[in-house]
Amino acid sequence: MGEILELTARQAGERIRAGELAAGECFSAWAVAAAGDDLNAYLWRADEDGAGSSYPPLAVKDIFCTEGVPTTAGSRILAGYEPPYTATAVRNVAEAGVELLGKTNMDEFAMGSSNENSGYGPVLNPWDRARVPGGSSGGSAAAVAGGLAPWAIGTDTGGSIRQPASLCGIVGLKPTYGAVSRYGMIAFASSLDQCGPLTRDVTDAALLLSLLQDRDPCDSTSVGIDGGVNSPRREDLRGLRFAVPSELATDGVESGVRSCFEETLTRIEELGGEVGETALPSAEHGISAYYVIAPAEASANLARYDGVRFGIRNEAPELDAMYEATRAAGFGDEVKRRIMLGTYALSSGYYEAYYGRAQRVRTKIADDFRAAFDRFDFVVTPTSPSVAFELGAKLDDPWSMYMSDYFTVPMPLAGIPAISIPAGLAEPDGGGPELPVGFQIAGPAFSENAMLDAAFALEQAIGFDARPPGVG
Ligand code: GLN
């Protein structure tokens, strides 16, 4: 069984399809591993035999609707909700022969960077259980890093795939907006949300994205990836130009993260790539724009949780009082904070001052990237300014929590794809255990194949093979 868990998803799939590994045996090896969850990574686990599958089973963030399977988006307000249909992303992989292994814990409605906003308790980082796995797809990231799942999907609105992948030492990819259907993915900020893979290596990320991507009639913003997604095979970076944004590269970055980032730039050059600097003058306003746009869209999307159609209901003599009692009891603090922020930003007297301006900043950020991609193939940054921080460290300071996504929010605002790959280990500032550091590569819209190829070449050169204590 140990041997099955060592295989990447692609390797296991090849053996299953070659008849060298029984699909049921593969499934049950992973079901046993998932049942040993001591990270609070899962909210629900499947009880199947997996005999008919073509790949190992998949851990799915609990934000994806799954027919007849509890789906909570990490919120108490959806306790007990079982959707009548399955999200297209999950259906697509199922049709390719990937079964559901379990539903993973997450920050409530995907709002957070540490998983501490889950209504079902925080997820622990397998590298150090006193630390957060990142968020909001923290359960998916911890499950893959902790050997509790072969691969997983998550969603990224401002960094929720890439930042937890970085903090857990795995690969996380946010596709171009529109590459994967959002149908059945519980909405947080609809103009930003994208589904993507969290995997052990770049090859698995490409494989999973190839199964996920689709033009879906149920989501009019989905277009898929033209020509599909290939298995990456590039061995060098010759002829490719990588830009380090001058405004983003230094601010508030831990020294261990910075040196790991710089070492990776050297590797790029060793592989024949060119490293230069670019200006992304508006990107530093990404966090400000994001924390107007995302709460604004969330306040509209979350209006539907009123105790009438989904999840819990707290009875009261009047209808309005029932809504209020249900929402007061069902939503956590961060969700309430964002609903208030978003409702205020959209209110008629302030709409232009906040939402309108944030949208203009968003356009400028997209223009900055377009200008950078005239001269460069990719923009690179550290994925997260710090390695995994301690549970509770940022809970009372929303602003410092929001800054965790400093490097990851500009890409969804611009709609472009980005991948985080593990680049090494570093100590946190102030000392502590060595923890994973992620390296982020962003490319133009629909450049997934080129981006995966570059990430693959770099991954081979970095040769990151560290595992959390006790895993593998
Ligand atoms: N951490 C960011 C937030 O709290 C991003 C979350 C996400 O990408 N879903 O909104």
Side-chain angles (χ1 to χ4, degrees), residues 78-95:
L78 283 176
Y81 173 59
E82 291 186 4
Y85 69 107
T86 295
T88 300
V90 179
R91 263 218 338 258
N92 283 352
V93 298
E95 276 163 18

Side-chain angles (χ1 to χ4, degrees), residues 310-396:
F310 320 95
I312 64 159
R313 170 194 300 219
N314 278 21
E315 292 297 351
E318 305 288 334
L319 183 63
D320 279 359
M322 187 278 285
Y323 294 158
E324 282 168 20
T326 300
R327 288 166 71 85
F331 288 140
D333 288 349
E334 183 63 24
V335 171
K336 288 177 185 161
R337 183 154 44 229
R338 300 218 190 170
I339 291 173
M340 287 190 287
L341 266 171
T343 308
Y344 178 79
L346 291 180
S347 57
S348 61
Y350 296 101
Y351 184 96
E352 210 16 66
Y354 292 104
Y355 193 73
R357 279 178 85 178
Q359 288 291 23
R360 285 199 290 280
V361 172
R362 184 174 186 175
T363 304
K364 281 189 170 299
I365 291 174
D367 290 344
D368 281 1
F369 276 113
R370 253 191 298 276
F373 293 136
D374 280 345
R375 293 174 40 229
F376 294 95
D377 297 282
F378 303 105
V379 168
V380 294
T381 72
T383 308
S384 160
S386 72
V387 293
F389 44 92
E390 284 175 350
L391 285 153
K394 301 191 179 185
L395 261 190
D396 298 327

Side-chain angles (χ1 to χ4, degrees), residues 26-379:
C26 178
F27 188 97
S28 60
W30 281 110
V32 169
D37 175 17
D38 53 357
L39 303 170
N40 199 25
Y42 284 100
L43 296 176
W44 178 90
R45 280 180 297 266
D47 182 18
E48 308 275 335
D49 64 16
S53 47
S54 324
Y55 293 97
L58 180 73
V60 169
K61 186 179 185 179
D62 204 29
I63 200 164
F64 292 90
C65 287
T66 38
E67 188 180 343
V69 168
T71 300
T72 66
S75 183
R76 288 277 167 195
I77 210 163
L78 283 176
Y81 173 59
E82 291 186 4
Y85 69 107
T86 295
T88 300
V90 179
R91 263 218 338 258
N92 283 352
V93 298
E95 276 163 18
V98 181
E99 289 211 36
L100 180 61
L101 177 59
K103 302 290 291 288
T104 58
N105 200 350
M106 55 179 285
D107 283 299
E108 186 176 9
F109 289 108
M111 299 178 188
S113 307
S114 70
N115 232 283
E116 294 166 294
N117 294 338
S118 167
Y120 302 91
V123 177
L124 310 182
N125 189 317
W127 291 84
D128 175 2
R129 280 148 213 261
R131 289 174 191 269
V132 305
S136 63
S137 311
S140 287
V144 173
L148 309 174
W151 53 358
I153 56 174
T155 58
D156 191 311
T157 304
S160 279
I161 290 175
R162 293 161 287 155
Q163 185 257 10
S166 169
L167 269 45
C168 288
I170 61 168
V171 172
L173 188 161
K174 185 209 87 78
T176 306
Y177 186 79
V180 182
S181 168
R182 287 178 298 111
Y183 182 69
M185 206 170 94
I186 293 174
F188 162 17
S190 313
S191 75
L192 299 160
D193 300 341
Q194 259 299 287
C195 158
L198 293 109
T199 55
R200 293 226 296 248
D201 65 14
V202 174
T203 305
D204 275 0
L207 172 58
L208 191 44
L209 182 60
S210 76
L211 308 179
L212 289 167
Q213 66 83 26
D214 187 22
R215 176 194 291 270
D216 176 13
C218 297
D219 171 6
S220 59
T221 65
S222 72
V223 290
I225 295 172
D226 224 13
V229 179
N230 309 317
S231 192
R233 59 182 109 240
R234 201 177 166 117
E235 279 163 11
D236 62 54
L237 297 173
R238 270 197 284 273
L240 295 179
R241 291 152 305 163
F242 296 77
V244 178
S246 32
E247 297 80 5
L248 286 183
T250 48
D251 257 35
V253 179
E254 281 187 345
S255 58
V257 171
R258 184 173 313 143
S259 39
C260 194
F261 178 69
E262 274 154 19
E263 277 163 33
T264 311
L265 296 179
T266 309
R267 286 204 197 276
I268 289 178
E269 288 172 334
E270 285 164 6
L271 289 169
E274 219 178 279
V275 176
E277 212 178 84
T278 189
L280 293 177
S282 300
E284 63 176 316
H285 304 298
I287 291 280
S288 312
Y290 174 85
Y291 279 98
V292 172
I293 294 168
E297 294 185 17
S299 71
N301 279 325
L302 269 51
R304 72 191 70 170
Y305 306 107
D306 55 8
V308 176
R309 282 170 300 170
F310 320 95
I312 64 159
R313 170 194 300 219
N314 278 21
E315 292 297 351
E318 305 288 334
L319 183 63
D320 279 359
M322 187 278 285
Y323 294 158
E324 282 168 20
T326 300
R327 288 166 71 85
F331 288 140
D333 288 349
E334 183 63 24
V335 171
K336 288 177 185 161
R337 183 154 44 229
R338 300 218 190 170
I339 291 173
M340 287 190 287
L341 266 171
T343 308
Y344 178 79
L346 291 180
S347 57
S348 61
Y350 296 101
Y351 184 96
E352 210 16 66
Y354 292 104
Y355 193 73
R357 279 178 85 178
Q359 288 291 23
R360 285 199 290 280
V361 172
R362 184 174 186 175
T363 304
K364 281 189 170 299
I365 291 174
D367 290 344
D368 281 1
F369 276 113
R370 253 191 298 276
F373 293 136
D374 280 345
R375 293 174 40 229
F376 294 95
D377 297 282
F378 303 105
V379 168

Side-chain angles (χ1 to χ4, degrees), residues 449-472:
N449 279 306
M451 192 178 82
L452 282 157
D453 257 339
F456 177 79
L458 198 51
E459 173 187 54
Q460 307 313 304
I462 293 169
F464 182 86
D465 61 0
R467 292 286 196 86
V471 178

